[in-house]
Every structure is written in C-alpha cells, then in structure tokens.
Amino acid sequence: MLEQQTLRLLKIISAPFLIVQPDGLIIWANRAMAQLLEREIDELVGKPLRTFTANDGQAVSKLLRLFSSSGNWLVGALKLCKTDLSVIDFPCEGCLFRPATRSEPALISIRFNQQLQFQALNQKIEELNTEIRRRMMVEAALRDSETRIRTLVDCSPLAIQVFAPDGTVIRVNKAWEKMWGTSLKSLRGLNVLKDNQLQAQGILTLLDRVFQGESLEFPLYEYDRSQLINVPHPNATLWVRAFGYPVITNDGRLQEVVLIQENVTDKVCLEREVEHYRHHLETLIEARTTELRRQQTFTEAVLNNISDGIVACDEQGMLSLFNRATIEMHGIDQETLPPEQWASRYRLLQPDGVTLMSINQVPLFRAFEGKPVKEQELVIERADGSKLSVLCSGQLMKDNNGRKLGAVISMHDITLQKHAQTQMLQAKQAAEAANRAKSVFLANVSHELRTPLNAILGFAQLLENDNRIPQDELRNVAIIERAGNHLLALIDDILEISRIEAGRSRLITDTFDLSATLQQLKETIGPLAKIKGLQFHAEFSPDLPHFVMGDEHHLRQVLVNLFDNAIKYTQLGEIHFTVKPKTEQTLYFEIADTGRGIADEQKRRIFEPFYQINGDATKGEGTGLGLSLTQKFISLMGGELNVESTLGQGSIFSFALPLRRADKLPAISPGKVIGLAANQPAPRILLAEDDLDNQQLVKQLLERIGCVVATACNGLEAVECFQSWRPELILMDISMPVMNGYRAIRAIRSLSGGEKLPILALTGSIRMEDRGPVIEGGCNGFIDKPVQADRLYEMMGRMLGLKFDYAETPRDASAMPGQAETSVTLSALPQEIRRQLADSAAILDLSAVQQIAEQLSTDYPDEAGIITRLLENFHFDTLLELCRTND
Ligand code: ADP
C-alpha cells in the first residue's frame, strides 16, 4: 500500500487524482477529484471508475490497459459524468504504480491535468483553425471550380438546362437560349415534368427516371418551339438529342437535374433530305433497272429472232456476242477469240469465196478500229462446207466519254439475192443479146429493103415524069410510088422504135432558134394544109423566148407527126397551131383540128404501136406508129402528150416541154477559106434548095471561092439537072416540095453516073444519130442549116479533093465547126484490129464490133467513140469504108 505520507501529499495537490486497481475499482481519490465530479470522496472510493464516466465499459477498460502497460505517464481522456449528468471531456494521464513486493497488487494512478485540458483545447482550436482554413481553401477551390464550370457551361455549344427537383427550370446556358430563341425568364411557370409535348413524345417517362436519379440518353425527339414559349415561331420544329443527368448530394438527395440538349434539326433535315434523295434514287434505280431489264429482254428477243446475224466484240477486241442467226450462219458456236483468229476459225472469205480474209479485211475488226463498215461483202464458209454471201455493216461502240466499248456488226444473208442477181444478169445478157440480134436484124432488113425500095421509088418517079407512059398507066405508077413511100416510112418508124426500145435514142440538147423553127414549120405546114383546102392558123405568144435549150430535131419531128395526122384526118375546117409559155421554163404546144375526132374508147389505144382506127390502114394512110413514136419522144424530152377529142368535131393534141430560155446563138464566123487554090478547075456544084434566101446564101458562098453553081428548087428539078448538067457534087436540101431530098438522092443514085457522085444533104438541125437514114438514103455527108461556110468548104474539099487559099490569120482550129468530121479516121488503129473491125462490119456483127470498141476504149478512146457512134446508127457501111480507107 501507499505510504501515508504520500497519500497526504496527494491529498493536497490541486490536480484531481485517482488510484484505481487494474480492474478500475477506485481505491483512493483526492478532494480535487471529488470536487471535479461534484461528489464526496467516499462516494467515489470503492466504486468502479466506469460509474463516473460517460464512456462505455470497453473504452474505460482499454484506457486502463493502456495505463497499466507502462511505468511512465501516458496520456488519455475520459468523459467524466457529473451529478447533474453533464459530461466533461477531460484529459488525463495514468501510469502503473508498481508495489514494493510482488505480493502487493499493482495500482494505477490517474491524474486529471487541467493543463492537459488546455493543451487539448488549444490543440482542438488549432485543429479547428486548420479545418477552417482547409474548408476555406476547399470553398475557394469550389468557387473556382464553380466559376470554371459556369464558364464551361456557358461556353458549351450544347444547350444545358438545370432543373430543380420539382421540375422547374433553374438555369439555362447561352447555347440553350440560342437554341430555343428565348431566355430563362420566359420559362417561368413551366415545369418540365408536366410538358405535354414530352408526354406525347414519350420522353417524359424517361425524364422521370432521371429525376429519380438515373443518367439517361434520350432518343431523338421533335419539339415545337412555339409551344414551348407560346409564341408562333417560324421554323418552329426542332429536332433534339438530349442527355439527362441527376445531381445527387453526398447524403443521397436529388439536388438538381441537368438536361443537355443538342439541336440536330439541320442534321435531321439533311438526313431526311439524304434519305429522301436516297429513296428517290432507289426508286429511279429501280425504275431504270426494270427498264434495263425490259430492254435487255427486248434486245435478247430481237437478237435471237432477227434473221440478220449480229456479232460483237468487247473493248479488248474479244468476241463477246453471237446471236442465234450468227450461230446458224456459221454452224458453230461463239468462242471468246481475239481478232487474229476470227477469219480462220469462222472461215471468213473474200467476196471471191476462196481467199481467206486478212485481219484488216474482217468487218468486225475494221469497225473495232473505227473504220466505216457499210454493206461490206464477204463469204462465210459454214461448218458443213456450204457458203453464204453476207453484207456486213457495223460500227465502233463508245460510251459518253468517248471510251471504246467494243464494236458490233450485222450480217445480212444475200446468198439468194446474189443467186437471183446472177440469174437476172444472165437473163439480162440473154435479153440484150436478143435485143442486139433484133437491132442487127432490123438494121440488116432495113438496109436490104431500102436498096430495092430506092430503086423502085426512083424508077417510079422517072416513069411518073416520062411522057411516053400512057395516062392510065401513070395511075399504076403512082400506086407503086405511094406504096413504096409507105413502106419506106414504115421501115424508118420501125427503126426509130427499135432504137428507142434499145435505149439508143438519146436527146441532143443544144441552143436553137425557136422562133426560126416555128416559123419554118408554119411555112411548111401552111401550104400542105392549104392544098387540102384547110385553113391553117399559127398563134405564137409574143412572150416566147427567141432561143431555147432543147432537142430541136425531136421537137420538129413530134410537131411534124402531129401536123401530118391533123391534115390527114381532117377533111374540112381548120388546123390551129398554138405555142405559148406555160411556166418560166416550160412551153405549151397545141395542135387542134376540126377533123373526124377520136372516140373515147380509142383515145388510149391510138398510142399503141401499129394501132390504127378501123380502115386507116387499108387506106394506106400512115403506119400506126406515128403517135406511139411521138408520145415516146415527148416523154424522152420531159413532157406528156395529151389528147382531147370529140367524135365528128375534131381533136386537140397538146404537150408541154421544159425548154429553157437561152442566149443568142453564136454568130457564124467568116470562113478562113478565101478561095480555091490556083491551078484547079472550078468545080461544078448543083444546089437543090427550095428556100430562096437560103439558096442565095449558099450559092454566094460557093461562087465566092470560084465554084460554078446550078440551082434547083425541088427534088425533081435536081434529078433533071443532074441528068442534063452532070455536076461534080450535089448539095441537096432534104425537105423540099414536089420531090423531097431523100427521094431525089435515091433517084440520082439509081441513074448512071449517080452511084458514086458525092452528094451532101442540107438538113435543118439533124442529129448525129439521125445521120444514118440520110447516109443510108445515099448521101455522103450532111451540112446543117443555116449553112456555115467553114463546114461547107471543108466537106466539099474532102469530097472533091480541093485545095484552098486561106486568110493569113487562121482562127482557132478548135472553134471551127465540123472539125470533128475532118478527124473521123481510124488510121491510128493497128492494121489487125482494123481488119477484124472490117470483117465484123461486113457481116453486120453488132456485138463483135461493140466488143472491139470496148477493148479499144482505154488505149484508143477517140477511135472507140467513133465506132460506138457509127454503131448506134448501124453505119456498118461507113465503118467498113473507114477501115478500108486506112488500109
Ligand atoms: P398513122 O400512121 O396511122 O397515122 P398514128 O399512130 O399517127 O398512125 O395514129 C394512130 C391512129 O390515130 C390513126 O390511125 C388515126 O386513126 C388516129 N388519129 C391520129 N391522129 C388523129 C387526128 N388528128 N384525128 C383523128 N384521128 C387521128
């Protein structure tokens, strides 16, 4: 136990002091302790320390264990409980108080140190200060952070809206104001949890969840801005993407709700637009695809059903398409082959059907190379060995950017056509040969008939003028002559028709003096009509052109034929001849008579060859070929012959012809010949010409150079003059009264000394191809009227072997009329060819002569031309003469 003295000492120390056993039982306490607990010392001793503390038993035991662990003073604290049950938190120190002997129990001294209490207080205050500083710093940091957050919120491009837990809006940022076009003020009274629009959008349910503490992303929704701020707003609808975040305090309370919104209207509109376009595009693509499919089906159907072959190659030049017809044509299928193998694989031959095509000849390859392929012929040798002729057309295929896509060709089978063509050609050749044979035959017959006829007519004419013939016999002679002339006309007409049918009758278009031609006709026809007691009226419009371009000879022939008929078939009344312009370049011709007319049913038939209205033939009036020839000539000249007629009253034959107005004819240049060369006897020339003006003109031309001239006004006079005067040369007009030139020539030829006499025919504009009958009639050449001096002298010179004196300045030779005739010679031809020609001409072998002319056309074009011209008129005799002359 403690020494008494120690205890007394302890009693008086002012610090409250306790001694307890290790189990906490108080065994001693001083006054200060009793006062601290506001009790008496006795109330404390013998009681457990825990009785006077507000600490739980465990805490007290723990403290006692701490103090009993060391002999040094250790600091602790107890919550002392006063009698009024108030509690003082009091710091204390305790240490183990070891007994002097082991048998004594250990005790624990506990002193409650006031100083300790202040120290603790100070420490507390210090801690408080530290805490206050820390809190102030935290607050400052919080303020900073809040400012930063506010700035961030304000600067955020996203609209941020903060709601109180009841759903009312507390704050909005600038982006929000911009997005909704309004401010916080306008939202007063609005509660997001009651928003009908959000309700309708189904957003409200989600928002409720946020207000219950869940963070959520909202599905895209559409918001009518005008509803939000109760003001109608243009472009009121907004598309919004939103996130909701609850702000929860540490103690789990909902402080506020943050709603972050993004205006995605533009994006949505764009997306919708894109969607719209996508949809539109899809529709288009679908329509296009359907159309393409339809086209493809159509193309396939066409390709496989057309009879033409279609072949294509791709951009690499590899075969890419054979339609059904192509496969059938080749007899083998399509293979993907390069161009160099096409010809050999598919046996593409040249049109000769033998030679294999080179790559550059193959139509598809040519098309692929961009060359034009139009109806190129080739032959396909089929797999079975048979051959097809085809025509190929094709082209290169390019896209819109000009990029090569390949090529395509079509093949049209012309095998049958070619076969038919060959047959036609053979038939044509046969027909032509037959036609030629007919022409040769006709020429031959006409020649054979003409010769005796000439004699018959010539002698008949002589008999007619022979005084010794009794009058009653003369009638028989007249019959002979009339029948002979009829036969001659018939032969001429048949020849003309055969010429037209053989396509040999051609127009010779040149400038001619229309007024002179019409005047001449008027003067010729007028007297003939008068002889028959008919009146003749010619009415020429003053608007007629003087000179025209046309075929004068044919026109004259047509008009003469129609006049001939008009006079023939009119017994009483008149013949009216009208010519007037129809259009700018067309002239109208009309011959009207008051004759017997033509019945309707015969109007068409009269144009048929050999058709004559009953009885005409028997009367020997014409051949029945006149109108047929006339109609053909008119149509050859570009017109159409029409007839209007009333039986018993008369007929009108009319036609219109294109006759273009022309400039004046070139003036006849004075000849270069000025006279006969010296030491030549003056040639005696008989000039038979009924036109006295013309007669005078030619006579003067002849006399001027020293010829002796006798004249006759008709054929009969000419025959007589020939007999009495024996001229060296006769110039014979063809159309003359009493006896025409043909007949006169024929008569002279039949007289002794007349056979070889040079006779030149004077003709009004006779065409090359009509020289035949003139020459066949017995004349040696012809001179066109109006007579040109050059031509006259040149022909005379040739016939009589004359030499002339010429003027000093010769004119341009090329301008001399008749130049062509001076060079009519075949001397340039090799002798052998001339001999062949002569042989063929002698037997009138037209085709043989034609063949020779064709062979000569390259090396001897002039000579070939001469031969062809002679042939066209069956002038075998002239040809024969030319061949022999040059021998
Ligand atoms: P032809 O040589 O017989 O005159 P055409 O061919 O010239 O032959 O005429 C055929 C027929 O048309 C004549 O036979 C004649 O009956 C009839 N014909 C032609 N012209 C006339 C006309 N002007 N008036 C009456 N009949 C005509």
Side-chain angles (χ1 to χ4, degrees):
M1 268 302 145
L2 290 172
E3 287 172 32
Q4 285 300 318
Q5 200 178 353
T6 309
L7 290 172
R8 266 193 304 275
L9 191 65
L10 287 172
K11 248 182 200 174
I12 58 164
I13 62 167
S14 57
F17 202 99
L18 277 177
I19 296 174
V20 292
Q21 289 182 29
D23 59 0
L25 193 77
I26 300 169
I27 55 167
W28 189 85
N30 70 350
R31 183 142 311 274
M33 186 70 219
Q35 282 172 350
L36 182 64
L37 294 174
E38 295 172 344
R39 295 172 200 261
E40 290 302 323
I41 294 174
D42 297 342
E43 284 178 75
L44 304 176
V45 177
K47 297 217 176 100
L49 176 58
R50 194 171 42 85
T51 320
F52 305 102
T53 65
N55 302 92
D56 59 12
Q58 254 184 326
V60 174
S61 304
K62 194 176 167 190
L63 189 71
L64 291 174
R65 272 200 304 280
L66 174 73
F67 290 162
S68 61
S69 63
S70 166
N72 297 323
W73 290 96
L74 297 173
V75 179
L78 279 171
K79 292 181 193 313
L80 296 179
C81 208
K82 293 186 182 176
T83 46
D84 59 355
L85 294 178
S86 63
V87 174
I88 325 160
D89 231 350
F90 221 103
C92 60
E93 288 173 309
C95 79
L96 188 69
F97 188 71
R98 283 193 192 282
T101 60
R102 274 185 178 246
S103 58
E104 286 178 57
L107 294 175
I108 297 166
S109 305
I110 300 171
R111 63 180 181 203
F112 292 85
N113 192 340
Q114 205 70 39
Q115 218 174 326
L116 268 178
Q117 192 181 3
F118 288 126
Q119 266 178 14
L121 203 63
N122 284 342
Q123 196 181 339
K124 253 286 190 290
I125 289 167
E126 190 54 34
E127 279 173 11
L128 217 58
N129 281 341
T130 311
E131 179 63 18
I132 288 168
R133 273 199 302 280
R134 191 185 62 79
R135 286 201 179 189
M136 278 170 71
M137 278 167 69
V138 167
E139 245 172 63
L142 263 175
R143 268 199 310 279
D144 276 0
S145 150
E146 201 178 310
T147 313
R148 265 204 306 281
I149 287 172
R150 194 178 285 276
T151 311
L152 273 176
V153 165
D154 275 347
C155 294
S156 166
L158 298 171
I160 299 173
Q161 209 175 1
V162 182
F163 300 95
D166 65 352
T168 52
V169 186
I170 311 169
R171 256 195 333 272
V172 293
N173 73 345
K174 286 190 180 124
W176 187 92
E177 288 179 344
K178 195 171 163 213
M179 176 171 159
W180 296 100
T182 185
S183 65
L184 185 61
K185 257 195 262 169
S186 67
L187 300 181
R188 236 165 241 144
L190 283 175
N191 188 315
V192 76
L193 293 177
K194 294 172 184 157
D195 191 319
N196 285 338
Q197 280 201 39
L198 295 178
Q199 181 83 54
Q201 301 274 340
I203 301 298
L204 212 50
T205 333
L206 296 168
L207 204 60
D208 272 342
R209 280 166 58 188
V210 180
F211 274 84
Q212 279 159 32
E214 204 177 325
S215 298
L216 273 180
E217 179 177 351
F218 292 76
L220 204 65
Y221 61 91
E222 195 181 7
Y223 204 102
D224 185 351
R225 195 153 44 160
S226 61
Q227 295 241 342
L228 170 75
I229 52 173
N230 297 323
V231 181
H233 207 288
N235 306 326
T237 301
L238 285 188
W239 279 94
V240 180
R241 206 153 72 93
F243 302 87
Y245 300 102
V247 180
I248 310 284
T249 58
N250 284 345
D251 52 2
R253 258 184 325 105
L254 176 71
Q255 193 175 0
E256 36 193 42
V257 164
V258 178
L259 191 65
I260 300 174
Q261 297 168 317
E262 187 186 0
N263 180 1
V264 288
T265 313
D266 287 349
K267 220 156 96 183
V268 169
C269 288
L270 201 70
E271 270 171 18
R272 288 203 162 178
E273 211 166 318
V274 169
E275 176 61 20
H276 172 75
Y277 279 118
R278 194 184 59 79
H279 181 72
H280 180 64
L281 219 63
E282 270 174 7
T283 318
L284 278 182
I285 289 171
E286 203 177 299
R288 186 87 191 107
T289 312
T290 314
E291 174 59 17
L292 278 175
R293 265 195 218 110
R294 196 189 63 75
Q295 273 181 16
Q296 193 182 356
T297 314
F298 174 75
T299 310
E300 275 169 14
V302 169
L303 281 177
N304 288 322
N305 286 291
I306 50 168
S307 49
D308 279 5
I310 304 288
V311 185
C313 68
D314 62 17
E315 70 276 17
Q316 312 289 339
M318 301 295 276
L319 278 186
S320 58
L321 177 112
F322 265 32
N323 72 338
R324 190 188 45 77
T326 305
I327 296 171
E328 279 168 14
M329 277 177 178
H330 288 296
I332 43 175
D333 254 336
Q334 179 215 326
E335 291 164 38
T336 313
L337 294 176
E340 50 280 5
Q341 294 177 28
W342 295 345
S344 55
R345 176 68 184 115
Y346 293 104
R347 302 293 301 156
L348 307 179
L349 310 178
Q350 292 179 22
D352 65 4
V354 182
T355 325
L356 199 66
M357 279 188 153
S358 70
I359 180 171
N360 291 320
Q361 291 171 322
V362 175
L364 184 60
F365 184 72
R366 294 186 60 227
F368 185 67
E369 292 282 283
K371 291 179 186 134
V373 180
K374 186 98 187 104
E375 307 208 326
Q376 186 191 340
E377 191 179 334
L378 67 82
V379 173
I380 293 173
E381 190 177 342
R382 307 184 70 232
D384 62 5
S386 59
K387 287 180 182 168
L388 291 182
S389 291
V390 294
L391 280 187
C392 300
S393 298
Q395 65 172 63
L396 181 68
M397 295 187 291
K398 290 182 186 170
D399 67 10
N400 288 345
N401 302 320
R403 207 166 52 87
K404 207 172 185 178
L405 296 177
V408 65
I409 58 151
S410 69
M411 299 190 295
H412 183 63
D413 186 349
I414 53 160
T415 313
L416 286 177
Q417 204 176 317
K418 282 212 88 173
H419 186 63
Q421 260 173 15
T422 314
Q423 280 185 331
M424 255 170 64
L425 197 70
Q426 283 166 354
K428 191 171 163 241
Q429 280 166 351
E432 275 173 3
N435 208 21
R436 272 200 301 277
K438 185 181 93 180
S439 300
V440 170
F441 171 76
L442 284 173
N444 209 357
V445 165
S446 91
H447 187 76
E448 295 303 316
L449 288 175
R450 268 174 188 284
T451 316
L453 251 183
N454 282 343
I456 293 167
L457 284 170
F459 285 109
Q461 280 162 28
L462 285 177
L463 287 174
E464 241 182 359
N465 296 302
D466 193 334
N467 296 335
R468 291 168 299 174
I469 305 292
Q471 203 57 34
D472 51 344
E473 292 296 328
L474 274 180
R475 267 207 314 277
N476 296 341
V477 174
I479 292 170
I480 294 172
E481 195 190 359
R482 208 168 52 237
N485 277 325
H486 180 72
L487 207 53
L488 198 64
L490 189 65
I491 291 167
D492 286 346
D493 285 350
I494 290 176
L495 260 180
E496 192 64 61
I497 290 256
S498 80
R499 221 180 268 138
I500 291 176
E501 280 176 356
R504 288 210 176 89
S505 192
R506 277 182 217 103
L507 291 181
I508 306 252
T509 305
D510 203 354
T511 300
F512 70 93
D513 186 337
L514 177 70
S515 42
T517 307
L518 294 179
Q519 196 58 34
Q520 253 176 35
L521 278 167
K522 180 179 158 184
E523 283 164 11
T524 317
I525 305 303
L528 292 176
K530 213 167 169 189
I531 291 170
K532 212 177 163 189
L534 302 171
Q535 285 185 35
F536 180 75
H537 301 289
E539 191 182 325
F540 303 144
S541 160
D543 300 331
L544 286 177
H546 197 121
F547 299 98
V548 291
M549 279 289 289
D551 187 328
E552 188 199 8
H553 173 75
H554 270 137
L555 175 63
R556 198 187 277 269
Q557 203 169 341
V558 159
L559 290 170
V560 167
N561 270 353
L562 293 174
F563 280 128
D564 196 35
N565 279 352
I567 294 172
K568 243 188 323 189
Y569 302 113
T570 306
Q571 304 307 325
L572 207 69
E574 59 179 49
I575 292 167
H576 208 103
F577 180 31
T578 312
V579 187
K580 59 186 179 187
K582 189 174 179 199
T583 63
E584 183 70 22
Q585 303 196 342
T586 319
L587 300 185
Y588 174 80
F589 298 81
E590 183 184 289
I591 291 148
D593 64 54
T594 54
R596 67 180 195 197
I598 304 160
D600 281 347
E601 62 274 15
Q602 282 163 334
K603 274 184 196 155
R604 227 167 358 98
R605 298 211 58 198
I606 53 172
F607 298 109
E608 292 171 13
F610 299 108
Y611 183 79
Q612 290 183 307
I613 297 174
N614 288 346
D616 291 341
T618 49
K619 287 181 219 151
E621 303 203 26
T623 59
L625 285 170
L627 280 183
S628 169
L629 269 177
T630 302
Q631 190 189 42
K632 286 191 166 80
F633 284 150
I634 290 175
S635 104
L636 203 64
M637 288 188 281
E640 192 186 347
L641 178 60
N642 299 306
V643 60
E644 290 169 47
S645 186
T646 312
L647 204 59
Q649 288 185 21
S651 314
I652 302 172
F653 285 85
S654 64
F655 59 93
L657 288 183
L659 290 169
R660 206 154 33 85
R661 184 182 291 271
D663 292 335
K664 201 173 180 312
L665 284 165
I668 298 165
S669 324
K672 64 175 181 177
V673 174
I674 53 170
L676 285 166
N679 301 327
Q680 285 181 105
R684 286 207 322 270
I685 296 172
L686 167 59
L687 170 63
E689 168 66 79
D690 61 329
D691 184 315
L692 293 181
D693 292 345
N694 208 24
Q695 192 189 72
Q696 273 309 303
L697 170 81
V698 180
K699 188 166 180 261
Q700 281 173 29
L701 284 175
L702 294 169
E703 287 175 343
R704 200 173 63 191
I705 59 161
C707 299
V708 179
V709 182
T711 55
C713 290
N714 59 51
L716 194 58
E717 281 180 23
V719 176
E720 285 169 355
C721 185
F722 160 70
Q723 285 174 305
S724 57
W725 193 56
R726 293 289 162 179
E728 291 161 24
L729 173 92
I730 299 177
L731 296 176
M732 182 76 80
D733 182 18
I734 293 300
S735 42
M736 280 187 296
V738 186
M739 181 189 278
N740 68 25
Y742 284 119
R743 286 164 56 187
I745 295 171
R746 281 198 294 265
I748 291 164
R749 287 274 181 251
S750 58
L751 295 172
S752 97
E755 310 91 339
K756 297 250 157 54
L757 182 73
I759 304 177
L760 295 173
L762 297 179
T763 55
S765 176
I766 196 156
R767 301 169 320 146
M768 272 296 276
E769 65 185 77
D770 289 314
R771 290 172 195 177
V774 182
I775 294 171
E776 276 164 19
C779 89
N780 303 82
F782 59 89
I783 296 171
D784 281 352
K785 286 198 281 187
V787 173
Q788 295 179 20
D790 282 348
R791 168 80 176 159
L792 176 66
Y793 298 148
E794 185 260 323
M795 289 297 283
M796 281 168 52
R798 229 170 66 185
M799 295 290 145
L800 300 175
L802 298 174
K803 292 206 167 53
F804 299 102
D805 285 335
Y806 297 94
E808 271 178 10
T809 329
R811 288 181 291 119
D812 178 7
S814 66
M816 284 168 64
Q819 173 76 12
E821 278 67 25
T822 56
S823 58
V824 173
T825 166
L826 299 177
S827 56
L829 296 180
Q831 202 178 357
E832 176 56 23
I833 293 183
R834 272 190 278 128
R835 195 189 54 72
Q836 284 174 13
L837 266 177
D839 289 351
S840 304
I843 56 163
L844 302 172
D845 189 342
L846 188 75
S847 66
V849 178
Q850 248 171 357
Q851 219 171 342
I852 297 174
E854 274 164 29
Q855 284 164 3
L856 293 174
S857 60
T858 321
D859 298 335
Y860 299 96
D862 292 344
E863 284 72 13
I866 292 167
I867 298 168
T868 310
R869 276 204 301 281
L870 288 171
L871 271 195
E872 278 174 358
N873 300 293
F874 309 113
H875 295 169
F876 290 104
D877 46 354
T878 316
L879 181 59
L880 201 58
E881 205 179 309
L882 283 176
C883 291
R884 287 179 180 153
T885 312
N886 292 307
D887 273 342

